[in-house]
Amino acid sequence: MSTATTTLLSEALDTFATLFDEAQAAGEPDRTAMTVATAALDGRPSARTVLLKAWDDRGFVFYTHLDGRKGRELQENPHAALLFHWPRVRKGVQVRIEGPVVIVADDEADAYFASRPRGSQLGAWASKQSEVLDTRETFEQRLADLEREFEGRDVPRPQRWSGLRVRPDRVEFWYGAEYRLHERWLYECDCAGDCRKRMLYP
């Protein structure tokens, strides 16, 4: 990776860090909320909101059941698009991130899972994410059974519950402006790892 490429990636991450801090200062309800868009092998897209749990120069991480819909799609077609929207920052900011996806290492997933509230840990075991549920009572009974099973001991991470890291090869910063005259900056890396920064029309 060239020095210029490293510099551009660092610049994009620094810009994200600045905006992420501004989102907190501006009172955004949850600055970690992001839309994750995936696509099945037939090209059918789907999107949902998840929470960013970690980010660094390796990418942006969220956690999920690997056998749920998004988990399955990202294993079949390991590419995703993320969208942050912070309307209280400046005149409105969007950050768009696209790139390939990898499953995080087990030790990283274990460490994050151990930091979760116990109720969330039990919920990860109780949920068969995206599968049909006949009644709410069935889910609550599963949860009660697991509470008894793990009573008095730590809850381990379910084998098929882990983190997914989006490694950015496209990062766009969209800054809102009056009369829809927005400002857009795109950082884009090609398959050789060479990156460039360009301004886009609004």
Side-chain angles (χ1 to χ4, degrees), residues 45-116:
S46 60
R48 73 290 287 162
T49 300
V50 301
L51 301 180
L52 176 69
K53 292 301 180 182
W55 66 276
D56 55 26
D57 58 2
R58 297 174 298 166
F60 297 77
V61 178
F62 63 95
Y63 286 83
T64 190
H65 284 272
L66 298 180
D67 295 327
R69 181 177 177 182
K70 62 181 173 295
R72 294 195 308 269
E73 290 181 351
L74 287 171
Q75 289 169 91
E76 294 169 357
N77 178 18
H79 299 273
L82 309 178
L83 172 64
F84 294 87
H85 180 212
W86 298 315
R88 298 181 182 184
V89 176
R90 304 184 188 186
K91 293 183 179 179
V93 169
Q94 295 183 60
V95 182
R96 301 174 60 194
I97 298 165
E98 300 173 20
V101 177
V102 296
I103 298 173
V104 305
D106 285 345
D107 58 348
E108 186 175 350
D110 289 341
Y112 171 68
F113 189 82
S115 75
R116 303 183 89 206

Side-chain angles (χ1 to χ4, degrees), residues 28 61 71 104-105 118 135 140 154 179:
E28 291 290 352
V61 178
V104 305
R118 189 175 180 85
T135 66
E140 291 173 351
D154 291 340
Y179 306 121

Side-chain angles (χ1 to χ4, degrees), residues 96 172-174 182-185 198-202:
R96 301 174 60 194
E172 180 186 328
F173 299 101
W174 179 103
H182 312 307
E183 183 176 338
R184 298 171 62 189
W185 287 96
R198 295 176 292 169
M199 182 181 282
L200 306 179
Y201 276 101

Side-chain angles (χ1 to χ4, degrees), residues 65 116 118-128 139 143 146:
H65 284 272
R116 303 183 89 206
R118 189 175 180 85
S120 298
Q121 293 175 337
L122 292 169
W125 279 92
S127 176
K128 299 180 180 181
F139 179 60
L143 190 59
L146 286 160

